[in-house]
Amino acid sequence: MTETETIAYDVVVLGAGPVGENAADRAHAAGLSTAIVEGELVGGECSYWACMPSKALLRPVIAQADARRLPGLAPANQGPLDAGAVLARRNDFASHWKDDGQVQWLDGAGIALYRGHGRLAGPRTVTVTGEDGTATTLTARQAVVVATGTRAQLPGLPGLDEVRPWTSREATSAQTVPGRLIVVGGGVVATEMATAWQALGSHVTLLVRGKGLLSRMEPFAGELVTQALTEAGVDVRTGTTVESVSRENGTVVAVTGDGERIEADEILFATGRAPQTDDIGLDTVGLEPGSWLEVDDTLQVPGTDWLYAVGDVNHRALLTHQGKYQARIAGAVIAARASGTPLDEAPWGANVATADHYAVPQVVFTDPEAAAVGLSLAEAEQAGHRVRAVDVDFGSVAGASLYGDGYKGRARMVVDLDEEILRGVTFVGPGVGELVQSATVAVAGQVPLDRLWHVVPPFPTLSEVWLRLLEAYRDN
């Protein structure tokens, strides 16, 4: 390895996914010279192996499911999807795994890009090693921001290496449809990929260790998604563990805890995420390699005055949009501290990521969709709030009946009885992903229930569920 030069910037960002890009953009917009370091594709996991390709796979599935609920469209949509066309469109949304457009954006924004593996080499110092072994040292006058994200976490099962299992990356980038697919897990990746590949022609067996799907959401979310997956042909098995895996003559064999052998062409493990901090030099600044990076609400790592961590790597909320929010906050914090401007650190202030604690929105793009923001009933009770859950079936909403025959869905709002505000909202049903922003405004804005009475939902839309929820609260 040959050291070539040392270059100083105000801010150096490790990781050029959407979160790192946002941090770099906010710092540069504040007049700070900024460099960003990336060892893979600029645009990161979300652009090429997660958000964009997965939703490109799922959108035709959901559109077909919606069409099947409507007279006049249903007969024309009973056949299988054109898998080749779906995969081709997915490839387009993943930019064919080329990052030219993202690099062009960085160039236009005036942000310096360094390609290679970036490692901390002490306080305010990052060494970038290129593919040719050449090393460049970057120093940061103001801040280093770690935005290296996470990777799939695989279990330590016998035979796993030889099986060559799918992770979320292979599941979102595969170019052919496996005839049989085993999915291990019960969270977002597992349910979304089971939905997509079953519709594309795979026979999917979903193996869930716990009692049900989507365990971090309200229980009815997992129940409705399980019902729909089963009706679509997915073999959903809860309370099932995988003890070993092997590949015999090209066929994957998974052995469950009760000794059953399940065969498939591929197996996807969607069993959690681990931080990408193993080899970024944390040991050079007194931190543990491979650990999640703890931060305060300004996204700064405690005990430092220069190190920040944004996005999945800090384990506050493993969602792209929430990481981008953190990056915007961190950029503003770094700019304020650089200029000597006092920080606004009051709750919901300009320099703190308060929403991480109270108003994190999420959509699971299954059929039906599951969307939520804030605290579930159980989480609100555990936090010590005096709350009441108000539930409404979407069958009482005219817009749902028009959306599609046989519409199945449910909504819940968790009301803080002392403050008369919402602590959380959950919607499950076709098309409800577009409802969660209104819920996010209500939760993050701590809008009083008596003011929500004056927020009139247009008729006949799914949004009328808000009126039904408020009526249910008033009448009971």
Side-chain angles (χ1 to χ4, degrees):
M1 182 174 71
T2 304
E3 180 129 353
T4 57
E5 57 183 332
T6 299
I7 307 173
Y9 291 90
D10 291 320
V11 179
V12 177
V13 180
L14 279 180
V19 176
E21 288 176 328
N22 269 260
D25 180 54
R26 289 298 85 208
H28 182 267
L32 301 175
S33 61
T34 306
I36 196 165
V37 180
E38 180 53 59
E40 290 190 290
L41 295 176
V42 175
E45 201 79 12
C46 178
S47 299
Y48 307 104
W49 299 287
C51 314
M52 295 305 292
S54 67
K55 277 52 185 182
L57 287 174
L58 285 158
R59 178 61 197 139
V61 179
I62 303 305
Q64 184 183 53
D66 285 342
R68 285 174 172 170
R69 297 184 182 101
L70 295 171
L73 288 175
N77 286 280
Q78 294 305 317
L81 290 169
D82 183 339
V86 173
L87 295 179
R89 184 172 185 265
R90 183 275 320 272
N91 293 347
D92 290 341
F93 271 92
S95 301
H96 297 266
W97 293 273
K98 297 179 181 178
D99 62 3
D100 303 31
Q102 299 274 7
V103 172
Q104 185 178 7
W105 177 83
L106 286 176
D107 290 342
I111 299 167
L113 170 64
Y114 290 84
R115 288 192 182 273
H117 181 65
R119 297 184 85 256
L120 292 167
R124 302 176 187 271
T125 305
V126 173
T127 299
V128 184
T129 305
E131 288 187 359
D132 61 358
T134 301
T136 302
T137 297
L138 308 177
T139 59
R141 287 182 285 263
Q142 301 296 335
V144 173
V145 182
V146 177
T148 50
T150 58
R151 66 177 185 279
Q153 187 172 41
L154 291 171
L157 288 176
L160 191 62
D161 291 342
E162 291 73 22
V163 167
R164 303 180 305 280
W166 279 11
T167 67
S168 54
R169 283 197 168 195
E170 290 76 21
T172 56
S173 64
Q175 297 296 322
T176 58
V177 180
R180 299 164 297 172
L181 174 66
I182 297 170
V183 179
V184 182
V188 177
V189 172
T191 54
E192 288 189 346
M193 290 299 94
T195 299
W197 288 106
Q198 178 73 29
L200 288 169
S202 291
H203 174 69
V204 176
T205 302
L206 181 57
L207 305 180
V208 187
R209 178 188 294 270
K211 296 180 180 179
L213 303 179
L214 303 176
S215 60
R216 295 187 178 181
M217 302 183 82
E218 298 285 8
F220 64 84
E223 291 166 5
L224 287 168
V225 170
T226 299
Q227 180 182 348
L229 284 171
T230 301
E231 291 173 354
V234 176
D235 182 1
V236 181
R237 307 187 189 187
T238 58
T240 302
T241 60
V242 176
E243 299 300 322
S244 68
V245 290
S246 61
R247 193 177 283 271
E248 303 171 7
N249 298 319
T251 298
V252 174
V253 178
V255 179
T256 67
D258 59 9
E260 183 181 3
R261 289 167 52 92
I262 304 173
E263 296 186 354
D265 300 289
E266 301 292 350
I267 185 168
L268 161 63
F269 281 91
T271 49
R273 308 289 297 179
Q276 296 239 62
T277 60
D278 302 79
D279 189 24
I280 62 168
L282 291 186
D283 54 309
T284 70
V285 294
L287 297 172
E288 183 180 351
S291 64
W292 301 100
L293 287 176
E294 180 185 348
V295 296
D296 60 24
D297 277 357
T298 70
L299 289 312
Q300 190 174 72
V301 177
T304 75
D305 62 359
W306 59 273
L307 184 60
Y308 296 76
V310 292
D312 285 9
V313 75
N314 64 33
H315 208 236
R316 285 164 71 100
L318 276 65
L319 295 159
T320 296
H321 49 271
Q322 207 69 22
K324 291 164 69 174
Y325 159 75
Q326 294 171 9
R328 295 191 295 270
I329 298 294
V333 168
I334 293 166
R337 285 175 170 154
S339 66
T341 303
L343 297 185
D344 177 5
E345 295 187 68
W348 305 104
N351 302 127
V352 287
T354 308
D356 285 351
H357 304 298
Y358 303 110
V360 176
Q362 181 176 19
V363 180
V364 184
F365 292 85
T366 46
D367 176 43
E369 292 176 347
V373 64
L375 304 178
S376 67
L377 175 62
E379 289 170 337
E381 291 174 339
Q382 289 166 6
H385 299 296
R386 194 171 68 91
V387 291
R388 174 182 151 203
V390 180
D391 291 356
V392 165
D393 191 291
F394 266 97
S396 65
V397 178
S401 300
L402 288 167
Y403 193 96
D405 292 352
Y407 188 106
K408 294 180 181 178
R410 186 173 171 187
R412 167 174 289 181
M413 65 181 190
V414 178
V415 180
D416 186 309
L417 297 173
D418 295 318
E419 298 190 37
E420 287 278 302
I421 60 173
L422 301 181
R423 291 294 177 184
V425 182
T426 298
F427 302 116
V428 182
V432 300
E434 296 300 333
L435 289 177
V436 76
Q437 183 65 1
S438 60
T440 303
V441 171
V443 173
Q446 298 180 332
V447 181
L449 263 66
D450 58 3
R451 179 57 62 88
L452 285 176
W453 273 107
H454 298 281
V455 180
V456 181
F459 179 86
T461 66
L462 291 176
S463 296
E464 198 181 8
V465 71
W466 279 106
L467 178 56
R468 301 284 89 85
L469 285 165
L470 292 167
E471 288 173 338
Y473 177 68
R474 177 197 63 190
D475 297 339
N476 294 282

